[in-house]
């Protein structure tokens, strides 16, 4: 058999099989309609997961008690509380092993969960809930935090600790962004630049919580 014969259609097929498949468009988990890159999510409390949905299906699950309360829509709130700043002593009390982490209240586990970005994805840190309660006591963000759907996203830099209340899918977006550019032990310069840009956009978007006057 000649070299020319080896380079026939079969070889081309093997070459295509070795090449990575193009990414498939995401689809709504309920109606299977194709979704744009930017789309909405629901929190699946039973599976402890996020579900991609189209606007119509997201609207259905905004009704109280829909699907027995299993799915909850994300609020879309971005909040900051300049009046409650965390200091270095507070960060040490929290015992977070890295510079960036997020926490949320998981109703399935009935406790707070702390996760942080890593080259393998979101990793869970050991949590002293009593320490969290002490550090966050008096914070309007902790009072506002909705279970399963919102998280407190924190980042420690030189002389500064930022804390934002965000939809929980924003935290997983950050984890995915860092995973794509992670190099070395601590992520490297590219990951730090991604963090700078991400938190810069949060600072521009976040607002102070509204003060509600109740009778």
């Amino acid at each position: 058999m000649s070299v020319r014969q080896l380079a026939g259609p079969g070889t081309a097929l093997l070459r295509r099989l070795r090449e990575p498949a193009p990414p498939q468009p995401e689809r709504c988990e309920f109606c299977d309609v194709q979704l744009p890159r930017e789309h909405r999510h629901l929190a699946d409390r039973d599976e402890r997961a996020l579900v991609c949905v189209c606007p119509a299906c997201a609207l259905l699950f905004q009704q109280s008690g829909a699907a027995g309360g299993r799915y909850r829509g994300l609020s879309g709130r971005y909040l900051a509380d300049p009046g409650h700043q965390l200091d270095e002593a507070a960060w040490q009390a929290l015992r977070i092993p890295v510079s960036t982490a997020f926490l949320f209240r998981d109703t399935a586990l009935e406790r707070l969960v702390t996760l942080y970005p890593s080259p393998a994805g979101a990793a869970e840190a050991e949590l002293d809930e009593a320490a969290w309660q002490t550090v966050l006591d008096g914070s309007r963000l902790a009072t506002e935090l909705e279970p399963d759907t919102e998280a407190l996203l924190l980042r420690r830099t030189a002389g500064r600790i930022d804390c934002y209340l965000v939809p929980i899918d924003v935290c997983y977006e950050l984890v995915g962004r860092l995973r794509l550019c992670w190099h070395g032990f601590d992520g490297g310069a590219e990951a730090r630049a991604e963090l700078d840009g991400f938190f810069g956009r949060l600072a521009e978007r976040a607002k102070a919580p509204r003060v509600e006057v109740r009778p």
Side-chain angles (χ1 to χ4, degrees):
M1 184 177 292
S2 69
V3 174
R4 183 178 298 276
Q5 288 173 315
L6 283 172
T11 305
L13 174 61
L14 290 174
R15 189 183 305 114
R16 288 197 300 272
L17 290 175
R18 287 197 300 267
E19 294 174 352
Q24 297 300 310
E26 292 187 277
R27 294 188 173 275
C28 176
E29 297 281 346
F30 298 101
C31 70
D32 202 41
V33 68
Q34 184 172 320
L35 298 172
R37 182 175 181 179
E38 299 293 331
H39 54 266
R40 301 183 66 177
H41 297 93
L42 301 176
D44 182 343
R45 297 196 295 177
D46 289 359
E47 296 294 330
R48 300 181 62 215
L50 293 176
V51 177
C52 300
V53 292
C54 66
C57 290
L59 200 59
L60 290 175
F61 288 97
Q62 285 183 351
Q63 305 299 320
S64 178
R70 173 175 174 175
Y71 300 101
R72 297 193 61 188
L74 308 189
S75 69
R77 299 192 300 174
Y78 292 75
L79 303 179
D81 185 6
H84 187 273
Q85 295 292 322
L86 300 179
D87 57 18
E88 190 65 25
W91 188 267
Q92 295 299 328
L94 297 177
R95 297 190 294 181
I96 300 176
V98 292
S99 65
T100 304
F102 63 96
L103 71 96
F104 68 100
R105 184 163 293 281
D106 189 317
T107 54
L109 298 177
E110 298 183 341
R111 63 177 175 87
L112 285 171
V113 174
T114 302
L115 300 171
Y116 60 89
S118 81
E124 185 167 356
E126 293 186 9
L127 174 69
D128 183 343
E129 186 155 351
W132 274 107
Q133 297 294 352
T134 300
V135 169
L136 296 174
D137 185 37
S139 168
R140 294 167 63 192
L141 299 186
T143 303
E144 290 274 347
L145 187 65
E146 291 289 338
D148 299 312
T149 64
E150 295 180 326
L152 296 183
L153 178 58
L154 299 96
R155 185 192 184 196
R156 175 196 186 196
T157 54
R160 181 186 180 93
I161 298 172
D162 294 312
C163 179
Y164 297 99
L165 185 151
V166 297
I168 196 168
D169 58 348
V170 169
C171 300
Y172 287 106
E173 176 192 347
L174 175 60
V175 169
R177 286 173 175 269
L178 293 178
R179 189 176 182 185
L180 289 175
C181 62
W182 195 284
H183 297 287
F185 177 75
D186 63 352
E190 189 175 352
R192 289 192 292 273
E194 181 65 48
L195 276 169
D196 290 342
F198 198 91
F199 274 83
R201 292 188 293 274
L202 285 183
E204 293 176 355
R205 187 168 185 176
K207 301 177 181 179
R210 293 182 179 179
V211 178
E212 295 185 4
V213 179
R214 298 181 180 179

